[in-house]
Amino acid sequence: MAPIELLIELTLMPLIAFIVGMMMVLMMRRIAAKIQRRIGPPFFQPLYDIVKLHGKRTQVSHGLIHDIGIVMAMGGYIAAETLLPVPGMDGIAEKGGLITLLYLMMIPSLGLALGVGQCANPNGSIGIARALTAMLAYDIPLVIVIFGVAYAAGTTNLVEIIATQQAGGFATWGVIEMPLLAIAGLIAMHASLGKQPFEIYIAPAEIATGPMVEMSGKYLGGLFVMQCFQLYTTSVLYVSLFLGGGTTWFDFLIKSFLVLAIPVSIAYLFPRYRTEDLLRLMWKWPVMLGLIGLAFVM
Amino acid sequence: MVMSRIQKIPVVEEKKGNPLARVFDDLVRFCRSRSLFILHYCTGCGAIELPPAMTSRFDMERLGIQPMVSPRQADILLITGYVSIKTLKRVILTYEQMGSPKYVVGICSCTVNGGMYWQSYATAKKLDEYMPVDLYIAGCMPRPEAVISGLQKLMDRIKSGEADSWQDYYQNYDYYLGNQQKLFGEDWQTPTDIITEAKHYELMGEGTLGEHTRLLEQHQNPLEALEMRLGHNIKEPIE
Ligand code: SF4
């Protein structure tokens, strides 16, 4: 591939991810509104929020690490987008592989931990401690699921995994071949989104949005951007692993929005767990399902 | 009369002939008006009208108005009722921590003139003596429709760029500080250094410095970063 072509892909992929991600945020808020019998925000609301936050006059920074932390939180996901194949564009997915992707998806939480640490706000510290605990909880089933899929496919190359699923048609989709892993993956994905019942680290009523408590202006705006990327990355990863990726943009987007709609609609029906309950739940059910699924694959 | 005191900040004349020069400013102003995060500091009985305004019945989110939990994230400070003197201290701390542009909305008659607490020794009567108020919604208490239509007025003013009374706090800090000192005593100090902030963002006005700020400087403890220590009380809370 010509370097210039690659360069275009590497810029386009995060950009598309951002736009799709904003629509996912919109969908999330609309679903929440529908469940609560409200009308919900207007179409461009996520964009208004982000522009407004970046356009604030006073921007309160708590120091250099605070700035870097936010950049890491966004940058981890932006790098992850280039490893996620979308219809017509592979980026550097072939060279990166699943394991790199998994690593990159952990960077945002670590960046956030750095940034929040400098804010010296007790609510923020509690929030970030919980966020890292939650990461510990959902990463174990996630790793089992990803290992299972990679083992079944015989490769960690996402492009190949998608290609085999598309070549074999619907019957070879991950969700048909490995249903247990797919269910475990869905639960892990839900937890990694940090939505209720797994919303232990945002918890507005208890620790005042945890990591976000001291963020204002463009720092909060950066986190809003990060949320767009987060929704996109998790749902597209799931679609690539279990739903055969997308042959065209149309079915790709439909699949990713549908996948995301499942945890989001569950989220707004439930209150949340406590930290230790989350840990117990995540290490029991999805891990058990994942291990049984893994045994079937082996 | 808050609005008349604001001095226009001299704008550097932009090059003529570029029709796109103002587009970005307009876009930001529009987005500001369509995305308002409110911090509802529920001081008095008026707070009871906010849940219906926010939830299914009237749904403020369709106007882009969302509740937020910490002052750093918020754009609007809603004062929903009478403010006792002790509460006012917290309100001022909260107000100063919010990122500009910020707007204060006084809901209820009690914030306008003390309302039925006029004779009380423990309440602050007029909110706009202590911080610039963008909008009052009178009533005891105003219905959610009134709250929403008031916020829509605020949105129009933000869109047209009129709602800039947050600058007044920087430009006439001396006046506000004076009123605060009258109420809380001469050693009143908040953790936010407004004068330095005004200098940094070039918002100094004729009224920023004065006799009251001189008084503040005499006893002001320099602001230091909090020490991170376990098992030890951080300094006593401001009282
Ligand atoms: S105006 Fe009436 S409802 Fe509002 S705070 Fe005062 S007494 Fe309460």
Side-chain angles (χ1 to χ4, degrees):
Chain A
M1 193 191 294
I4 190 81
E5 225 174 286
L6 185 67
L7 214 63
I8 293 177
E9 282 192 3
L10 290 190
T11 21
L12 267 185
M13 285 164 87
L15 216 60
I16 292 172
F18 177 51
I19 293 169
V20 177
M22 278 202 291
M23 292 204 266
M24 286 173 165
V25 172
L26 178 77
M27 182 189 76
M28 186 178 81
R29 288 173 63 175
R30 283 266 173 93
I31 288 181
K34 287 280 145 13
I35 289 177
Q36 296 161 357
R37 297 206 184 158
R38 290 185 288 122
I39 294 173
F43 186 76
F44 286 111
Q45 191 61 49
L47 186 69
Y48 295 154
D49 287 350
I50 290 171
V51 173
K52 188 249 348 214
L53 285 169
H54 283 87
K56 281 254 183 191
R57 269 297 287 282
T58 52
Q59 307 275 7
V60 184
S61 167
H62 294 268
L64 187 63
I65 303 290
H66 185 200
D67 303 358
I68 293 176
I70 302 295
V71 173
M72 266 175 82
M74 272 197 288
Y77 277 125
I78 293 178
E81 307 317 344
T82 61
L83 293 175
L84 270 178
V86 292
M89 285 191 278
D90 283 346
I92 48 173
E94 241 162 304
K95 301 184 185 64
L98 266 177
I99 302 192
T100 326
L101 185 62
L102 209 57
Y103 267 109
L104 285 178
M105 282 171 66
M106 282 177 203
I107 290 185
S109 297
L110 302 179
L112 213 54
L114 274 183
V116 172
Q118 199 169 29
C119 296
N121 188 313
N123 281 330
S125 311
I126 297 174
I128 209 66
R130 289 185 184 186
L132 294 182
T133 318
M135 196 168 89
L136 205 67
Y138 65 72
D139 259 353
I140 290 181
L142 196 65
V143 167
I144 292 177
V145 166
I146 286 187
F147 174 75
V149 174
Y151 188 86
T155 171
T156 59
N157 187 337
L158 254 186
V159 182
E160 274 177 42
I161 294 178
I162 295 174
T164 19
Q165 290 183 56
Q166 284 176 355
F170 181 65
T172 56
W173 280 11
V175 68
I176 306 288
E177 288 203 322
M178 308 167 272
L180 287 179
L181 284 182
I183 295 172
L186 197 63
I187 302 176
M189 174 186 128
H190 188 167
S192 77
L193 289 178
K195 290 275 144 216
Q196 298 93 331
F198 307 120
E199 189 210 28
I200 55 168
Y201 54 93
I202 305 291
E206 185 190 1
I207 50 170
T209 62
M212 281 147 55
V213 63
E214 279 289 325
M215 307 286 175
S216 71
K218 59 184 173 186
Y219 300 92
L220 190 63
L223 295 187
F224 272 48
V225 175
M226 188 196 93
Q227 192 195 20
C228 300
F229 282 129
Q230 187 192 25
L231 295 179
Y232 174 87
T233 315
T234 24
S235 67
V236 168
L237 178 64
Y238 192 84
V239 168
S240 314
L241 289 179
F242 293 110
L243 298 177
T247 39
T248 59
W249 275 101
F250 183 68
D251 67 339
F252 174 74
L253 287 182
I254 287 198
K255 278 179 200 168
S256 10
F257 276 90
L258 277 184
V259 161
L260 193 68
I262 301 170
V264 169
S265 352
I266 296 174
Y268 289 98
L269 298 175
F270 288 100
R272 64 184 172 77
Y273 288 115
R274 283 180 320 196
T275 315
E276 63 266 33
D277 290 342
L278 169 78
L279 218 68
R280 202 172 297 136
L281 183 112
M282 291 309 288
W283 283 356
K284 201 190 268 172
W285 297 107
V287 166
M288 205 150 72
L289 283 176
L291 285 179
I292 299 174
L294 201 61
F296 277 118
V297 168
M298 291 261 182
Chain B
M1 271 286 93
V2 171
M3 303 314 289
S4 56
R5 270 209 315 271
I6 298 179
Q7 301 134 25
K8 280 280 159 275
I9 294 176
V11 181
V12 184
E13 266 306 312
E14 287 164 47
K15 277 194 207 115
K16 293 271 158 56
N18 184 357
L20 297 177
R22 296 233 163 254
V23 169
F24 191 68
D25 284 356
D26 286 346
L27 174 77
V28 171
R29 267 214 305 273
F30 178 74
C31 290
R32 262 177 207 157
S33 75
R34 294 310 304 271
S35 154
L36 295 169
F37 295 169
I38 56 174
L39 180 74
H40 38 106
Y41 194 91
C42 300
T43 51
C45 8
I48 210 70
E49 294 295 328
L50 284 182
M54 256 180 260
T55 49
S56 332
R57 183 79 167 89
F58 294 104
D59 187 21
M60 280 211 255
E61 201 185 9
R62 70 208 146 95
L63 303 174
I65 304 171
Q66 259 194 87
M68 276 284 166
V69 289
S70 93
R72 294 264 190 232
Q73 305 162 350
D75 304 307
I76 303 185
L77 179 59
L78 280 188
I79 311 282
T80 57
Y82 56 85
V83 236
S84 73
I85 291 173
K86 220 170 170 181
T87 315
L88 187 61
K89 286 179 187 169
R90 276 75 183 174
V91 172
I92 290 168
L93 298 198
T94 311
Y95 176 73
E96 289 181 353
Q97 285 183 32
M98 287 164 60
S100 312
K102 50 193 167 188
Y103 316 98
V104 180
V105 176
I107 294 183
C108 276
S109 309
C110 282
T111 54
V112 184
N113 57 9
M116 64 186 247
Y117 293 91
W118 172 247
Q119 283 160 325
S120 162
Y121 58 90
T123 53
K125 306 291 177 306
K126 293 181 191 161
L127 189 60
D128 59 14
E129 285 179 353
Y130 308 100
M131 58 178 67
V133 178
D134 281 276
L135 184 81
Y136 281 120
I137 303 170
C140 180
M141 48 201 50
R143 284 186 53 78
E145 293 101 319
V147 173
I148 289 181
S149 88
L151 287 173
Q152 266 174 329
K153 289 233 171 59
L154 180 67
M155 285 164 71
D156 291 341
R157 291 175 59 100
I158 295 172
K159 207 182 298 173
S160 63
E162 285 168 71
D164 53 1
S165 64
W166 57 274
Q167 294 176 359
D168 190 53
Y169 196 71
Y170 292 106
Q171 291 178 357
N172 290 307
Y173 183 52
D174 190 54
Y175 166 76
Y176 292 110
L177 185 69
N179 287 336
Q180 291 165 14
Q181 280 172 348
K182 230 182 278 168
L183 215 54
F184 308 139
E186 302 204 327
D187 54 352
W188 165 250
Q189 182 195 350
T190 57
T192 314
D193 195 341
I194 294 294
I195 300 170
T196 320
E197 234 176 59
K199 277 185 193 141
H200 183 264
Y201 293 105
E202 294 171 356
L203 288 166
M204 295 287 277
E206 276 160 23
T208 306
L209 299 174
E211 45 172 334
H212 303 293
T213 52
R214 269 198 298 281
L215 198 62
L216 173 71
E217 269 158 26
Q218 276 168 22
H219 65 75
Q220 193 174 28
N221 300 324
L223 298 173
E224 291 157 7
L226 279 185
E227 204 179 335
M228 295 285 274
R229 230 188 301 166
L230 286 176
H232 178 78
N233 269 344
I234 308 173
K235 277 176 211 153
E236 278 178 34
I238 302 153
E239 193 47 71

